Structure formats: C-alpha cells, structure tokens
Amino acid sequence: MNKHKNKHRKKTLLCRLAAAFCCFAIIAALIPATAAQAASDSSSGESFVTLKYKGKTLDISYSAPTYAQIEKAFGKPDSVKKEPYGLEENIIISTYKADGFRFTIRRHEFTLDDPEFGKHIVITSKKAAMNGLKVGMSYEKVQKQLIKLYGESNLQLQKNKKKIVSNSMNLPYFQYVFKDGKLSKIEYLNS
C-alpha cells in the first residue's frame, strides 16, 4: 500500500511540475510582445499612428477613428464617389485634399459606420504631419523618431538613405521618402 502511495505522489508531483512549466512558458511567450507593444505605444506619449491636419491631431490606428470622428475633426471631404464592389455593394471613397496633402478613405456602402476601413495618406508639404514628422526634417531625425516609435527591427532602413519603410506584419504599410537628406514624402496605407 505504501509503495502505491509513493508512486501516486511522484505522478502527482510530476503533473504539477509539467502544469507549472506550461504556465511559465505561456507567460514567458506573452511578456516580450506585450512589453514591445507598450514601449511602442508609450515611448513618445503619442498614439500608434497620429495624423495632424488643419490644426487637429487624430489617432488613425487600425480601428480608430470612426468616419464621423474624421468628419468632425477635418470637416466634410473634398470629394466623395462610389465605385462598384462585388455584385450588390459599392465602395464609398472620400478624399481630403490640400496642397501637398491627400487623405483617402475607402468604406463599404453597407457598413458605413464600421471603423475598419481603408486609409491612404500622402503628405508632400509641411501643412500636415504623421507621428509628429513633417516634410523637410532630416533623415537622421526621422530615423531616430521612427526607431523610438516602432523599433529598428520593424523598419527597413536603406543604406542610400532614400527611404524608410515599415517591415513588419504588425504595422500598417508606410514609407518615408527622402531627397537630398530631407524628408520629401510620407505615405501611409492601411486597407
């Protein structure tokens, strides 16, 4: 009987150790991703992706803002058009334009209030900024700020210093284009 009890205790202890190891492995796997996300979100005190236009700053991260919030911040779009999509639905394309700035929003006609819509932004003037970065800034300053926001491993830094591009599945597509060592174009795409 005593032999059977010891065998059962060893089995129970082994099961408890295995369960503790599994919990530790799960926690250890989650900590780096959470810490990296927190660092990228809070290192500059700004949200993940911010757009400044007409004196208003707006968080344009994946699910934010709603279309109504964009209209409230920037006013009515300069143009709105419909394009066919599928058999029964249209895409509504709203565009804000100014000299050196274009912000295009693509929404499905039947889900107009859905915050998940495509955004395409092109900035070529100092009138708008993305994450505090403006046309005319030096390559070094832009590079430093982007590394601070997203981490160097999430960026593709070209040796010729002509472009910095997002290089991660966790980030929307963006590129910062340089001419003569100065930022000349910012492009952002999230579809």
Side-chain angles (χ1 to χ4, degrees):
M1 173 100 177
N2 210 8
K3 234 182 193 183
H4 180 64
K5 214 175 200 183
N6 277 344
K7 192 175 183 181
H8 180 67
R9 280 187 186 166
K10 285 181 183 178
K11 202 175 205 180
T12 303
L13 179 63
L14 188 60
C15 287
R16 285 182 182 170
L17 286 173
F21 177 75
C22 287
C23 288
F24 175 75
I26 290 170
I27 291 169
L30 292 175
I31 288 173
T34 305
Q37 179 66 34
S40 70
D41 284 348
S42 63
S43 62
S44 68
E46 294 182 283
S47 57
F48 197 65
V49 180
T50 60
L51 174 66
K52 186 172 184 175
Y53 174 64
K54 290 188 176 181
K56 307 267 183 161
T57 301
L58 195 60
D59 175 359
I60 58 163
S61 298
Y62 286 108
S63 62
T66 64
Y67 186 75
Q69 290 169 321
I70 293 171
E71 271 196 344
K72 185 177 179 182
F74 299 152
K76 296 278 184 200
D78 297 309
S79 70
V80 178
K81 67 179 183 177
K82 286 185 181 184
E83 283 186 4
Y85 180 80
L87 297 174
E88 299 177 11
E89 190 174 14
N90 290 317
I91 296 285
I92 308 296
I93 302 171
S94 306
T95 304
Y96 293 87
K97 291 181 193 174
D99 187 31
F101 174 80
R102 187 178 73 238
F103 179 17
T104 304
I105 302 162
R106 299 174 63 90
R107 304 176 295 149
H108 292 270
E109 185 175 37
F110 297 124
T111 56
L112 291 179
D113 293 327
D114 185 0
E116 294 294 324
F117 48 78
K119 301 177 231 30
H120 183 210
I121 299 166
V122 178
I123 300 171
T124 57
S125 81
K126 296 179 181 183
K127 293 180 181 179
M130 185 165 298
N131 288 329
L133 301 171
K134 286 186 167 191
V135 168
M137 294 175 79
S138 72
Y139 179 90
E140 290 75 21
K141 192 169 185 178
V142 172
Q143 177 186 8
K144 183 178 177 182
Q145 179 69 10
L146 289 175
I147 289 172
K148 184 178 175 184
L149 283 170
Y150 304 117
E152 192 168 353
S153 63
N154 292 319
L155 302 171
Q156 180 183 355
L157 306 169
Q158 295 183 352
K159 289 181 182 179
N160 63 7
K161 297 185 178 184
K162 297 277 186 195
K163 234 184 237 185
I164 298 175
V165 180
S166 58
N167 191 27
S168 170
M169 295 301 289
N170 299 326
L171 296 175
Y173 173 80
F174 60 77
Q175 70 173 350
Y176 291 78
V177 180
F178 299 85
K179 185 176 181 183
D180 299 326
K182 299 285 185 186
L183 184 58
S184 62
K185 178 181 175 184
I186 301 170
E187 186 169 7
Y188 170 91
L189 179 64
N190 179 13
S191 54

